[in-house]
Amino acid sequence: MRSRRIRPLVIAAAVVVVATGCTGGGGIATQSDEASEPAASEPQEATVVAVDFSYPEAPAQLAGGVIDVRFENRGTVGHELAFAGIGDASIQRWVEDLGDNALSAFPVPDYLDQVATPPFVSVEAGGTALATMTLTPGRYVMFCNVRDVTDGLEEAPHYKLGMVRELMVVGGDPEPTLPEADGTIVAGDDGFDVDLEAGDRSVNFMNEGPDQIHLTAIEAFPRGMDAAEAERAYEAKLASGRWPKGFPGLEGFGFSGIFSAGLGARLEFEEDTFQSGRVFVLGCFLPDREGGKPHVIAYDEYAIVTIE
């Protein structure tokens, strides 16, 4: 079986994963029964073009479901594409509530119940990024949280410079399922299920909530370090803010994007990313919707992963 559920600080089986917003503990996974897979939704194609500082080309409406997003940055500075469901709130109110940084705007407003940030994060000037992700029905804004500006402008998040555009997601699939991938990472408020093996290249990340927003960073410990050594090093880092003396650091491999309950995205990796025997850590660095410490600290919300 490849499906696993996190258990708090259990130094045992193999592959595990963690994302933000959960109240489980760090540790190494144990195994659980596999669940049947729901049918995948048919993807829609959506192209969004960014310039400085707007989205001049973007869909006004999509159906709920799986979206194949193509994001083209035709501006002169880096830009990103994020989605926030704002319900009946005005765009002006939403911008005011976010303040100067969308990623530190806690507590999250009650009306903001849908969040989707694709895993490609920001895209440099002239670049193009692709992502397969899900959106459920609702009234959204597309926005950019990057702060780099052109000459003559005071630094500010781009959404405060007008880089916001409304998107209506109407009908379609209210519970979309990503197309099948090599592996899966399922986040939930009480823990995570993971399905990863050596050689996996595509991994679906989904947040099953029901309440918190989740993400996971995917990093690897130095080759040759076992799970128990990795656990001790990571606990020391969380306790003191510093790695143990002589520790060379982690190697970063990816980011899930940020998603509220019911949403997620496909992550793509090189064929040699997940190597048999290599130990990974998957951690979350957002607080609860109400604010507070990041879950990796508040709830030991991380997991040590040994790839089989």
Side-chain angles (χ1 to χ4, degrees):
M1 285 179 217
R2 302 180 66 198
S3 178
R4 299 167 172 85
R5 170 68 67 177
I6 287 178
R7 295 291 182 266
L9 299 175
V10 177
I11 307 300
V15 185
V16 76
V17 71
V18 172
T20 192
C22 302
T23 54
I28 300 173
T30 57
Q31 297 190 5
S32 65
D33 293 336
E34 294 187 26
S36 60
E37 292 291 331
S41 305
E42 283 295 324
Q44 305 165 76
E45 294 185 358
T47 297
V48 178
V49 174
V51 297
D52 308 333
F53 295 93
S54 67
Y55 299 112
E57 298 179 33
Q61 182 172 306
L62 292 169
V66 177
I67 316 294
D68 284 339
V69 177
R70 178 181 176 88
F71 180 55
E72 300 178 10
N73 182 2
R74 299 179 188 173
T76 61
V77 297
H79 292 296
E80 70 175 359
L81 176 65
F83 300 83
I86 64 171
D88 294 330
S90 68
I91 293 177
Q92 180 179 355
R93 176 187 173 187
W94 171 80
V95 170
E96 292 173 352
D97 286 344
L98 258 60
D100 287 331
N101 190 334
L103 295 181
S104 61
F106 297 97
V108 175
D110 290 341
Y111 62 80
L112 206 166
D113 62 351
Q114 294 157 302
V115 177
T117 301
F120 53 66
V121 198
S122 62
V123 176
E124 64 183 10
T128 296
L130 306 174
T132 297
M133 57 182 287
T134 60
L135 290 175
T136 48
R139 175 173 172 257
Y140 291 79
V141 288
M142 297 175 284
F143 70 100
C144 178
N145 192 45
V146 174
R147 300 182 64 88
D148 294 341
V149 295
T150 51
D151 291 342
L153 289 176
E154 184 177 348
E155 182 180 286
H158 293 175
Y159 59 81
K160 295 193 76 172
L161 302 176
M163 202 161 181
V164 180
R165 182 160 174 163
E166 185 173 302
L167 170 68
M168 295 298 298
V169 179
V170 180
D173 190 348
E175 297 181 355
T177 300
L178 291 162
E180 185 177 358
D182 297 330
T184 59
I185 296 169
V186 180
D189 294 354
D190 61 349
F192 293 80
D193 288 320
V194 64
D195 173 356
L196 291 174
E197 287 186 351
D200 283 352
R201 299 193 63 177
S202 60
V203 178
N204 286 341
F205 174 84
M206 286 295 296
N207 176 9
E208 289 190 346
D211 298 319
Q212 299 300 332
I213 301 168
H214 299 266
L215 66 78
T216 183
I218 301 164
E219 302 170 295
F221 287 92
R223 289 177 175 83
M225 179 173 283
D226 65 26
E229 294 172 311
E231 180 84 24
R232 289 193 293 270
Y234 204 69
E235 286 184 339
K237 174 66 163 61
L238 293 179
S240 67
R242 299 185 300 274
W243 289 109
K245 185 176 180 180
F247 184 82
L250 299 172
E251 182 178 0
F253 283 100
F255 166 64
S256 65
I258 303 172
F259 293 95
S260 54
L263 303 179
R266 170 168 293 195
L267 317 180
E268 301 288 347
F269 299 93
E270 297 296 328
E271 187 175 3
D272 62 351
T273 297
F274 298 111
Q275 298 178 3
S276 180
R278 187 130 194 222
V279 179
F280 284 71
V281 61
L282 300 103
C284 58
F285 301 93
L286 288 177
D288 284 347
R289 291 177 60 95
E290 296 77 17
K293 293 181 179 180
H295 291 106
V296 70
I297 296 174
Y299 305 125
D300 289 332
E301 198 59 66
Y302 70 92
I304 304 300
V305 177
T306 302
I307 301 299
E308 296 179 337

